[in-house]
Amino acid sequence: MKIILFGCFTIAQANPLFAEDFKTQHFAEEGYLQGWNFTFRNEKYNVFATFLVSNFGPGSLNNGISLLLKAKDQPVFYSTREFDADEYEFKKGKFYQRSGENWMEYKNGIYSFYMNYGDWEIKLDYKPRRGNVPISQGRFPLMEKGKFVQADIPFSYSSVTGTIRYKDVIEEVKGVGGLEHILTNEAVYQFSKKWELVRSRTSDGYRIFTGGFLGNSNFPGEFYRRVAVLNPSGNLILEGTVERVEVLEWEKEPTSGYTIPKSEILYFQNETCKLNVKRTRPIATMSALENISSFLRFFIQLFFAKPYQIHWIAELKLECPEYSGEAKGYHSNYLINE
């Protein structure tokens, strides 16, 4: 199995996206990685569940899953499961992956996934609202010819139903969630330091997103971040590429030791628009080196100093001639080589 590091994330494309846009696509290049991150939230749970397939490192078509689950007033559960190629299945041209007994699929307008970690077992069904979101706007070209990275948000704030079992207790759950997708044919550590995604919603149903990646000298422009707004009907009404970032306050995250922005302003559309993003309350912080095999841990540490996955509650304030509004949501950072 390969790098269960980042969950996955994305930003929207102006053209409609469909399940077939996120089907498994295998590439021969060393460093190919494709992942899908399901999120789920209600008053009790915050869930980030990832399916991953990659040929990065030894072997081929290596695959696995990761789960970060924070139940209210309970410790964070975080774990990964790694699977060999003979435990992997996909359906050509379909949104489907099976890793061992765990699976994700799209059928009859519903996205579903199932994960089993022994004590924890999760089965969730997503009925997407209209509206996908523009981060990479298709395949974003990297320095080397033919290399690319692509990130998308197929859907967000979808209604979700299903079950969560802890040991012998099965609970029916309802809430909201989304799906995020990443695809690259270049090893992530070669071009990026950090990936991030913010999903938020206003009190009157508008959805404000921002996200992208902070790169190194191998990444064109060294960073790429986007802003997008969907109206309550799911129509994309505003989008732009971030031109400048002003950090108002830095904070040292105690678990990871990373110093990261607590409050910042993103400027776009020739700086006629600005988006303030402020982290307000932590959800969970986890090292990607936890709960994995010693072999995989050794291999990851060859390329990643301290890979972390960090999630917060966030507040956003957007000021733009086309649209202004305030929203609350959740902010994810996937630190790679900060």
Side-chain angles (χ1 to χ4, degrees):
M1 136 86 210
K2 308 304 170 198
I3 305 183
I4 302 265
L5 299 188
F6 340 87
C8 302
F9 27 91
T10 303
I11 288 194
Q13 296 184 188
N15 295 324
L17 300 171
F18 303 99
E20 54 266 27
D21 294 306
F22 313 107
K23 64 180 182 292
T24 305
Q25 303 174 58
H26 296 139
F27 289 82
E29 290 92 340
E30 180 77 3
Y32 151 73
L33 178 147
Q34 188 172 20
W36 301 264
N37 190 56
F38 291 89
T39 63
F40 172 73
R41 293 184 66 199
N42 65 11
E43 292 182 354
K44 182 176 179 179
Y45 292 105
N46 278 282
V47 174
F48 301 86
T50 300
F51 285 79
L52 195 71
V53 59
S54 172
N55 64 2
F56 183 52
S60 63
L61 296 187
N62 290 284
N63 63 104
I65 60 173
S66 72
L67 176 67
L68 190 158
L69 184 150
K70 178 64 175 73
K72 187 176 182 180
D73 300 326
Q74 297 294 326
V76 174
F77 173 82
Y78 177 76
S79 189
T80 67
R81 294 188 66 189
E82 307 157 32
F83 297 93
D84 294 329
D86 59 3
E87 298 178 275
Y88 169 78
E89 180 186 352
F90 78 104
K91 297 179 180 179
K92 187 174 182 179
K94 301 292 185 180
F95 180 90
Y96 178 86
Q97 176 172 319
R98 181 185 61 79
S99 294
E101 64 182 311
N102 311 277
W103 52 263
M104 64 175 202
E105 68 174 353
Y106 172 78
K107 184 185 296 183
N108 299 324
I110 297 175
Y111 292 80
S112 303
F113 80 87
Y114 169 83
M115 287 185 176
N116 190 329
Y117 279 86
D119 283 350
W120 289 100
E121 183 182 41
I122 299 176
K123 166 68 169 62
L124 295 177
D125 297 324
Y126 295 70
K127 297 181 180 179
R129 301 171 57 189
R130 177 183 175 186
N132 49 74
V133 176
I135 279 178
S136 62
Q137 294 185 300
R139 293 185 178 182
F140 186 89
L142 300 174
M143 291 290 196
E144 185 179 343
K145 185 177 180 180
K147 299 288 188 177
F148 70 89
V149 60
Q150 180 173 1
D152 304 287
I153 299 178
F155 58 85
S156 63
Y157 291 95
S158 163
S159 63
V160 185
T161 58
T163 58
I164 294 179
R165 177 185 62 79
Y166 179 63
K167 295 184 177 178
D168 295 328
V169 178
I170 299 175
E171 181 180 355
E172 293 188 1
V173 295
K174 295 182 179 180
V176 297
L179 175 64
E180 300 139 18
H181 171 254
I182 183 172
L183 172 66
T184 180
N185 64 347
E186 174 70 302
V188 174
Y189 75 91
Q190 296 278 20
F191 63 86
S192 61
K193 294 181 179 179
K194 177 178 75 173
W195 299 69
E196 70 163 350
L197 183 63
V198 185
R199 324 83 158 159
S200 67
R201 186 166 56 179
T202 67
S203 59
D204 55 354
Y206 284 76
R207 287 172 276 168
I208 303 175
F209 303 89
T210 185
F213 23 86
L214 176 66
N216 54 29
S217 58
N218 294 321
F219 185 79
E222 296 198 12
F223 82 93
Y224 185 85
R225 299 169 77 179
R226 300 269 303 162
V227 176
V229 179
L230 301 178
N231 67 16
S233 299
N235 297 312
L236 185 68
I237 63 168
L238 175 65
E239 60 176 326
T241 301
V242 174
E243 298 146 8
R244 181 169 68 90
V245 178
E246 178 184 356
V247 177
L248 303 180
E249 184 180 358
W250 294 88
E251 181 179 62
K252 186 173 183 179
E253 200 284 320
T255 303
S256 68
Y258 281 110
T259 299
I260 49 183
K262 182 175 181 179
S263 179
E264 58 185 341
I265 300 177
L266 314 180
Y267 295 89
F268 61 102
Q269 289 197 349
N270 295 320
E271 300 201 11
T272 63
C273 296
K274 63 179 182 179
L275 175 65
N276 180 272
V277 180
K278 182 178 181 180
R279 297 185 292 106
T280 58
R281 179 168 58 87
I283 299 174
T285 300
M286 293 304 303
S287 168
L289 299 177
E290 294 185 23
N291 299 309
I292 58 177
S293 68
S294 58
F295 170 76
L296 183 59
R297 184 181 299 112
F298 171 78
F299 183 71
I300 289 175
Q301 286 182 310
L302 295 178
F303 303 104
F304 303 94
K306 291 194 306 178
Y308 270 84
Q309 183 181 140
I310 309 175
H311 304 279
W312 302 273
I313 301 298
E315 296 178 354
L316 284 72
K317 183 177 181 180
L318 176 63
E319 298 178 47
C320 196
E322 293 89 343
Y323 173 79
S324 296
E326 298 182 8
K328 293 183 179 181
Y330 50 116
H331 181 296
S332 299
N333 263 359
Y334 306 92
L335 298 154
I336 300 171
N337 285 320
E338 267 282 349

